[in-house]
């Protein structure tokens, strides 16, 4: 009789079963390990997610346990793929038992550079100061940009800054307003010149308005007086009444001309200010 048999013979049946299970557990675990395959899934983007067949597992990195001899599909999706248009990466694996392998999903880094105003040249020290293009600029890189970037536009201050590190989606967005003397020049040239409003201009406006009113009233008074003297001439035949009618008509006509000139001056001054 073996030592284990003699030892378990002194135990109760339930205790004997527990001891036997404990003794068999390492062997069972070893047998399970020998009958599976493992795949470690990594990516250059920490926000990427992995799906095993039709089940989403989670964010990377992940270690997957697969049944040997069975075909599985591993899909890695980039974060914010719908925004940046990054296609998913897929592997179809059929692994034998006791296989340990790694798949690495590599996604592009996407750089967006915008300036106000646009049209600035962008260079980078990472590529020996080679021009990358003009803003608005979008770059797709297999490796992240390092070093510094320089933004140049004639008439504006040249800006140099380090390249920011990509976020979890692999994206870098830079929006840079440019400053310089040209800002003030462009702002002034874009606005039409207007005469400054001053108390002198306001005085001319008041004068033109008063003259418009005064000449209008004068024209009405002389017109009424002319009509009255003409009615008198018709009733009495007095020639002096006819002469007075003509004088009143001349004054009324002069007042109307003065009113029109005053009104035109008033309109000019108002539109100018």
């Amino acid at each position: 009789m073996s030592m284990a048999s003699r030892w378990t013979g002194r135990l109760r049946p339930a205790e004997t079963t527990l001891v036997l299970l404990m003794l068999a557990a390492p062997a069972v675990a070893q047998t399970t390990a020998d009958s599976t395959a493992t795949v470690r899934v990594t990516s250059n983007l920490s926000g990427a997610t992995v799906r095993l067949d039709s089940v989403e597992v989670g964010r990377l990195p992940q270690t997957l346990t697969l049944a040997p001899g069975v075909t599985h599909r591993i899909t890695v999706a980039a974060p914010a793929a719908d925004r940046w248009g990054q296609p998913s990466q897929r592997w179809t694996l059929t692994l034998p038992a006791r296989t340990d392998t790694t798949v690495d999903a590599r996604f592009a880094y996407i750089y967006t550079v915008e300036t106000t105003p646009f049209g600035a040249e962008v260079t980078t020290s990472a590529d020996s100061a080679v021009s990358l293009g003009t803003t608005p600029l979008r770059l797709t890189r297999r490796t992240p940009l390092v070093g510094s970037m320089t933004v140049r536009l004639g008439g504006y201050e040249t800006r140099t800054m380090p390249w920011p590190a990509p976020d979890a989606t692999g994206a870098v967005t830079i929006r840079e307003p440019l400053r310089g003397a040209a800002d003030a020049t462009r702002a002034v040239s874009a606005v039409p010149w207007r005469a400054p409003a001053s108390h002198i201009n306001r005085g001319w406006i008041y004068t033109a308005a008063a003259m418009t009113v005064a000449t209008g009233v004068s024209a009405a008074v002389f017109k009424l007086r002319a009509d009255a003297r003409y009615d008198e001439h018709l009733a009495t035949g007095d020639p002096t009444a006819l002469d007075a009618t003509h004088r009143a008509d001349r004054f009324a006509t002069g007042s109307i001309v003065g009113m029109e000139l005053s009104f035109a001056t008033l309109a000019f001054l108002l539109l100018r200010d």
Side-chain angles (χ1 to χ4, degrees):
M1 181 180 293
S2 65
M3 183 180 297
S5 299
R6 291 196 302 270
W7 182 57
T8 56
R10 302 193 207 97
L11 299 176
R12 298 176 182 176
E15 295 173 339
T16 300
T17 302
L18 179 60
V19 171
L20 292 176
L21 289 175
M22 293 174 63
L23 294 174
V28 173
Q30 183 62 38
T31 301
T32 303
D34 292 342
S35 62
T36 59
T38 58
V39 179
R40 178 170 175 79
V41 186
T42 60
S43 175
N44 61 320
L45 302 183
S46 60
T49 57
V50 60
R51 181 183 296 270
L52 177 60
D53 297 328
S54 61
V55 179
E56 183 172 320
V57 178
R59 291 190 176 184
L60 299 183
Q62 293 283 342
T63 300
L64 309 178
T65 301
L66 309 181
V70 179
T71 300
H72 294 278
R73 169 170 286 189
I74 298 174
T75 304
V76 178
D82 55 341
R83 177 182 177 188
W84 301 113
Q86 296 246 41
S88 300
Q89 299 189 25
R90 297 177 175 85
W91 295 264
T92 300
L93 303 176
T94 304
L95 302 177
R98 290 178 293 181
T99 300
D100 188 0
T101 188
T102 299
V103 294
D104 186 31
R106 307 299 297 179
F107 293 97
Y109 297 97
I110 300 175
Y111 290 79
T112 303
V113 183
E114 300 174 353
T115 60
T116 305
F118 64 88
E121 182 186 23
V122 181
T123 59
T124 175
S125 63
D127 290 333
S128 302
V130 172
S131 176
L132 299 177
T134 57
T135 59
L137 178 65
R138 177 170 170 143
L139 301 172
T140 301
R141 304 271 303 190
R142 287 318 239 171
T143 58
L145 286 166
V146 295
S148 61
M149 63 172 291
T150 302
V151 180
R152 294 184 179 88
L153 182 62
Y156 290 85
E157 177 186 355
T158 298
R159 302 295 304 276
T160 299
M161 66 202 78
W163 283 105
D167 59 18
T169 68
V172 175
T173 301
I174 302 171
R175 293 184 175 90
E176 190 67 21
L178 301 179
R179 298 189 297 271
D183 289 337
T185 303
R186 292 192 179 189
V188 170
S189 62
V191 179
W193 180 84
R194 296 180 63 185
S198 64
H199 67 280
I200 298 178
N201 288 338
R202 289 194 295 271
W204 281 110
I205 290 173
Y206 297 149
T207 302
M211 289 295 296
T212 301
V213 174
T215 52
V217 171
S218 175
V221 169
F222 282 115
K223 179 60 178 172
L224 292 174
R225 183 175 298 178
D227 291 342
R229 297 308 300 269
Y230 185 70
D231 290 341
E232 181 183 349
H233 168 69
L234 292 177
T236 63
D238 185 2
T240 59
L242 183 60
D243 292 338
T245 299
H246 292 161
R247 285 195 302 273
D249 280 336
R250 288 194 293 270
F251 284 128
T253 302
S255 298
I256 291 174
V257 172
M259 179 185 68
E260 292 177 347
L261 291 175
S262 299
F263 181 78
T265 303
L266 175 63
F268 170 75
L269 292 174
L270 291 175
L271 293 176
R272 184 186 181 191
D273 284 340

